[in-house]
Amino acid sequence: MDDKEDKYSTITSSEVNDVRMTQQMKRLLYLIAQLTKKDGQYGKLVVKDLPLKALIFRGILDKVLDYDYSPQSIYYIENRRYINVSQEGIDDLNDLRELHLLYKIRLATKRHFYIYSYGISKEGIRYLDKISEEDKSVVDKLVKCECGEIFDVIIKKTGIFLKCQNCGNIIDTEVTAIEDVPYKCTPI
């Protein structure tokens, strides 16, 4: 057995999390923690997949998260629409699940469609102490209004919005604004 294999075989669970956690993953974990907080306790709620994708995209626009994105066809509000989705963000969500910091549940709607929701696990809550105050502050600017309240995510036919219930401030996530990308074709 070579030294490298031996070194990694003795790493504990919490050390593996430190080795594998990127800054983006830490920010994403904290973002979900903030959205699942109720009465000052993390993990009391879950966040649905579509609002989370919208917040990830808004985080990309606000330079909170450094991911690429592309349009993807999804079904919402009884219609098929294109929204900007980050596959890197989805991959980080899956990595956080593999590290047992998040869990994913499948829910059935009234119309018998299935949606997914994410929640933070007890291990994920413990890991929040390892996230720097700088990263927490950057994420707080994304999920909190200027008045300090956490935004609610409102889904409408016209788009997905962040709304503060306290002061009424509304921000468009712009997740439904698909960019026109110029391209050039040349005959062969």
Side-chain angles (χ1 to χ4, degrees), residues 30 64 131-142:
Y30 184 68
V64 172
I131 298 174
S132 73
E133 290 302 317
E134 179 184 338
D135 284 336
K136 288 179 180 179
S137 173
V138 170
V139 172
D140 282 340
K141 288 178 185 172
L142 172 66

Side-chain angles (χ1 to χ4, degrees), residues 83-153:
I83 66 166
N84 293 305
V85 175
S86 171
Q87 292 301 319
E88 292 172 319
I90 292 170
D91 182 58
D92 277 354
L93 285 171
N94 290 331
D95 289 344
L96 289 168
R97 286 180 52 224
E98 287 176 13
L99 294 169
H100 305 288
L101 301 176
L102 291 180
Y103 61 87
K104 180 178 177 179
I105 57 175
R106 184 173 150 179
L107 306 169
T109 66
K110 292 178 191 176
R111 298 188 182 254
H112 306 288
F113 291 108
Y114 291 102
I115 59 171
Y116 291 98
S117 292
Y118 294 88
I120 187 166
S121 68
K122 289 180 182 178
E123 195 170 327
I125 293 169
R126 284 191 295 272
Y127 191 85
L128 294 176
D129 293 334
K130 297 180 182 182
I131 298 174
S132 73
E133 290 302 317
E134 179 184 338
D135 284 336
K136 288 179 180 179
S137 173
V138 170
V139 172
D140 282 340
K141 288 178 185 172
L142 172 66
V143 298
K144 289 185 178 179
C145 182
E146 295 168 355
C147 70
E149 287 292 316
I150 292 182
F151 284 112
D152 288 336
V153 181

Side-chain angles (χ1 to χ4, degrees), residues 53-72:
K53 286 177 180 175
L55 272 167
I56 289 171
F57 180 71
R58 187 70 216 178
I60 294 167
L61 294 181
D62 291 349
K63 308 263 188 266
V64 172
L65 299 168
D66 185 25
Y67 295 136
D68 290 332
Y69 60 90
S70 63
Q72 180 180 348

